[in-house]
Amino acid sequence: MTRDTPSCERAYRRTLALLTLAVALWSVAWAVLTPGFRAPDEQNHLNSAIRLAYGGGWPAPGDAHFAPVIDQAVAESTYPSDLPGRFNDRPQWPQFVELTPVPTADRIHIDVGNALPAPGTSATVDQMTQHPPAYYALGAAALRATGTADAQWDVALLALRLLDVALFAATVPLAASTTRRLTGSRSAALLAAPFPMLIPQVGHIMGAANNDALVVLTGAGVTYLAARVVTGDLRWRVVVGLGLVLGVGLLTKVMLAFAIPVVVAAYLLAPPGPTAVQRAWRAFVALAVAFVVGGWWWARNWLVDGAVQPVGLPRDYASMAQVPGSEVLPESIGRTAQAFFGNLGWLEIRMHGTLVALASTLLVVAVLAAVVLPGARRGAFTIALLPLALAAGVVANAVSRWAETGVLVALQGRYIFGGLTALAALFAIALWQAARRREHRTAVVVPVLTALAGAAAVAGLAWGFAAFYRAPGDSAAQAWERWVAWSPLDEAVIAAVLVVVALGLLAGVVAAWRWAALTRGLSRPSSQRTWRAEQIPHETSF
């Protein structure tokens, strides 16, 4: 164990800050790397943020359309031409690497004349108004605040991507704080910080423009506050805070409804003290606050439209492949796992199946170890409910659609990212268990995991670079020139971003190594505690 000293706390905070910076810079690299509109629904997300920025309101599902600027921007981006890393070749389709980008100076700018669809337009429907407007109001405010509401389209898109990076970066200290709350270990907390860099799809999606970033942040907030509750923090300010964060999540996307069982479980499994009735009352108040802030949106949908989430754009299933009944469940699970770990673009660039299977197995084993082994299992069980519920919801929804249509759709691994903070904490708890819950042993793992996460981050970016820009037979230099030609940034800026990212990753590894050295130097006999007993209630069975 280590002495609980102010210098140790300062070192912990410094290390966590550098690890957070490394994760943030990694997602910035993805934001700069990914070609325009080459992440799911990016044109829709940009269109909805621009509409709010220009006073176009939030039409009913099915009534929102693309603005002229988005129609032209999509054409300039050459979407949906095939990227070179696509999982199957379609020679009859335009190939992205064979097309010439519009010069940066000639790309269309957003202005009052093209930011809103004309009255009575027959343009393609923007289905994003099937969601609440919280993220898009934030995106519109960001565009206005940064002066990019009237910039060229790819600069505005980059501004939204960087907003998502900022939202995502805030989840890293929340993951660490959740882990520390459940284990009492600073080193275990630091293990949660670099976890996202092990998953390329996280960088790709969190470095894109979409409403998932606010879902991930609010999911992180619910996870952290639930960890406080299940370890004995039953103060009313936590009750209200939990309701507020969950409410903002519900005003973003329906996925945060899967966090409701986490809130209930946290109060039911909290240590003895208040009576069961008092704990149930606190859970009720938290959920009531969440309803007032954001849950009302879904109740209104049910009353007005007859559905919790009305369909903004009906899908045409006629051209989609039918899936035999015997393959529905394994196909659903496999495709969801694929899209969770690595399905770049619009799910057409796939990580190798062997890597997906290995990563999925390791993650499942880690979650089971955290939940089953004594030490933090009550809290681990509570926070594990969120990613498990999200994954089950994705698969169940797909199976339900299959029963009606015979095809499998909406198997998006990113829908589980609302539970990313919980998964990071569970992964860190499992490693803490493997280190036999000893602080000095856990500290040794911190630089090892950070180095592995940094290597995975670099490998994922290299994979994306080749999949986006490198045609068969091309050199890396040719792919680099293509990236520069398509980017809204010039070559020197892109190079500078990559240098800063590399320095940030290196700084994270060095900080982790220094933390391990400090912890070893302050080690004490195992009979001495790392934290005061009143901070973390004793683990009890349930």
Side-chain angles (χ1 to χ4, degrees), residues 395-413:
V395 172
N397 179 62
V399 172
S400 175
R401 296 276 187 92
W402 171 85
E404 298 172 0
T405 65
V407 301
L408 286 172
V409 294
L411 290 167
Q412 299 273 9

Side-chain angles (χ1 to χ4, degrees), residues 468-495:
F468 293 146
Y469 299 108
R470 192 170 185 175
D474 273 1
S475 65
Q478 289 172 303
W480 169 266
E481 291 174 1
R482 187 172 292 116
W483 178 9
V484 171
W486 283 101
S487 177
L489 305 177
D490 62 32
E491 185 172 19
V493 174
I494 296 174

Side-chain angles (χ1 to χ4, degrees), residues 295-376:
W296 61 270
W297 177 275
W298 308 103
R300 170 195 167 278
N301 284 352
W302 180 263
L303 293 174
V304 174
D305 301 311
V308 173
Q309 179 167 296
V311 176
L313 182 64
R315 302 190 68 155
D316 179 12
Y317 297 101
S319 61
M320 299 183 184
Q322 298 284 308
V323 179
S326 60
E327 299 177 12
V328 169
L329 190 57
E331 183 79 3
S332 297
I333 295 173
R335 283 168 55 181
T336 302
Q338 178 84 62
F340 178 87
F341 285 103
N343 242 175
L344 308 184
W346 288 58
L347 307 187
E348 74 268 32
I349 300 170
R350 299 177 178 176
M351 180 185 287
H352 195 282
T354 301
L355 291 176
V356 172
L358 177 60
S360 300
T361 301
L362 290 174
L363 188 56
V364 169
V365 169
V367 171
L368 289 174
V371 171
V372 172
L373 295 177

Side-chain angles (χ1 to χ4, degrees), residues 132 243-244 246-252 288-299:
L244 289 173
L246 178 57
V248 173
L250 290 172
L251 203 56
T252 304
V289 171
F291 180 84
V292 170
V293 174
W296 61 270
W297 177 275
W298 308 103

